[in-house]
Amino acid sequence: MSDMKQRILFVNSEIYPYLPESDIANVGRYLPQGIQERRREIRSFMPRFGCINERKNQLHEVIRLSGMNIIIAEVDRPLIIKVASISSARIQVYFIDNEDYFRRKQPFCDASGKPFEDNDERAIFFARGVLETVKKLRWAPDVIHCQGWISHLLPAYLKKAYRDDPIFSSSKVVLSLYDDTPTTPFHPAFAQKARFGGLTQEDLAVLETPTGINLAKLAVQYADGVILGAEKVEPEIVAHCKALGLPILPFDRKALEDGSYMDAYCGFYDEL
């Protein structure tokens, strides 16, 4: 028991009921609850998208965690942290917010289905915002579980820019891969804008061709283990995981449907 991972940080692109039900959103909702019920300590984060009704979901700003600025492409962006409770699950969700990046009514694309041109900056802001907030919480996670493409910069930041921070000195990264890989390339300057702390141009070389597949490859490069969260993850990304020799938990539709995946995920955390 003493060897078990006790603190799990969930970094989600989607959580139900804040976004509609999907495999990612449902796992984002029910996995933290299940892990908490298995006597682990958890924290859960997602972006505060503009389609989330603050009054209905009772979001409120956490003043002591807000107020920091994150510089992206030489522009200061205020970081606002909000929190809401899912009372039936006895869990809190922290929301990363910024008026320029996350107040739109659609999460990742405009009303016509075109991806937002600044999705690269939104991913940078989200990843750095989560890590800075966890530092302010002074809560050292044993495992950081990233789900959804917008979380895919976090493993690189953790292992490079934050590697000497005592809060994260023992943190392992689990990466859940889904079928949400963006097909439209990101901004050509993604790699340049993403550089921060100890991250060099060489570390981000794969993003010189800024595709969704390459962003996932970057996340895989700095992960300690990979979970296949969907049946149709891009084969090129899966092949990259295997080439690096990473521990991989296969996709199991039945386990997702009956909830037994939570025990499998727990066991996966403990093996890292």
Side-chain angles (χ1 to χ4, degrees):
M1 182 71 71
S2 61
D3 292 332
M4 291 175 64
K5 306 298 183 185
Q6 295 297 324
R7 290 181 166 186
I8 316 296
L9 170 65
F10 294 98
V11 185
N12 310 277
S13 61
E14 306 172 33
I15 299 175
Y16 175 79
Y18 305 111
L19 289 182
E21 286 195 81
S22 66
D23 281 350
I24 303 179
N26 286 341
V27 172
R29 160 63 180 84
Y30 295 106
L31 178 61
Q33 177 184 351
I35 297 301
Q36 182 170 261
E37 290 170 352
R38 287 158 177 80
R39 301 186 179 182
R40 313 291 177 97
E41 206 177 318
I42 67 103
R43 295 288 187 275
S44 194
F45 282 78
M46 73 169 288
R48 188 287 194 205
F49 295 115
C51 56
I52 299 171
N53 187 310
E54 290 201 0
R55 180 175 296 180
K56 176 183 175 182
N57 292 291
Q58 298 184 341
L59 272 68
H60 62 272
E61 184 177 348
V62 186
I63 302 297
R64 68 184 179 90
L65 297 176
S66 301
M68 185 187 316
N69 279 7
I70 292 177
I71 301 173
I72 301 175
E74 300 182 351
V75 178
D76 281 9
R77 307 283 185 180
L79 171 62
I80 305 298
I81 307 300
K82 295 181 178 175
V83 69
S85 296
I86 301 178
S87 55
S88 59
R90 293 188 297 176
I91 62 174
Q92 285 188 322
V93 176
Y94 291 89
F95 294 85
I96 299 296
D97 196 7
N98 173 270
E99 187 167 349
D100 293 330
Y101 289 141
F102 296 117
R103 293 299 175 92
R104 305 155 200 181
K105 291 302 180 183
Q106 293 82 22
F108 304 116
C109 303
D110 63 22
S112 67
K114 181 182 178 182
F116 294 122
E117 291 186 2
D118 62 351
N119 272 344
D120 61 328
E121 295 186 11
R122 299 168 89 214
I124 294 167
F125 188 91
F126 180 58
R128 288 178 55 188
V130 169
L131 291 169
E132 289 295 338
T133 303
V134 173
K135 279 182 61 176
K136 275 196 173 184
L137 288 169
R138 301 188 63 80
W139 188 81
D142 296 299
V143 171
I144 301 177
H145 190 162
C146 298
Q147 303 195 93
W149 72 261
I150 201 169
S151 72
H152 282 178
L153 275 173
L154 191 145
Y157 284 141
L158 179 77
K159 297 295 179 74
K160 288 291 184 174
Y162 293 82
R163 64 183 176 184
D164 296 325
D165 194 301
I167 291 289
F168 302 110
S169 60
S170 299
S171 300
K172 301 289 187 180
V173 176
V174 171
L175 179 67
S176 277
L177 295 172
Y178 291 88
D179 52 4
D180 67 330
T181 306
T183 55
T184 301
F186 294 103
H187 192 282
F190 192 178
Q192 180 181 346
K193 288 188 279 188
R195 287 179 63 182
F196 166 73
L199 271 174
T200 66
Q201 183 176 353
E202 183 180 355
D203 295 326
L204 295 167
V206 69
L207 279 185
E208 293 298 333
T209 303
T211 63
I213 286 177
N214 283 344
L215 177 60
K217 285 183 175 181
L218 179 71
V220 167
Q221 180 181 337
Y222 293 101
D224 297 288
V226 170
I227 295 173
L228 300 183
E231 191 170 6
K232 296 182 178 179
V233 178
E234 287 285 346
E236 187 176 342
I237 303 172
V238 178
H240 189 61
C241 298
K242 293 178 178 177
L244 293 175
L246 289 175
I248 300 174
L249 187 65
F251 176 69
D252 187 338
R253 170 61 66 187
K254 183 177 183 298
L256 276 178
E257 291 173 351
D258 65 21
S260 61
Y261 74 94
M262 296 179 190
D263 288 318
Y265 285 20
C266 262
F268 195 68
Y269 298 154
D270 294 339
E271 290 170 5
L272 297 179

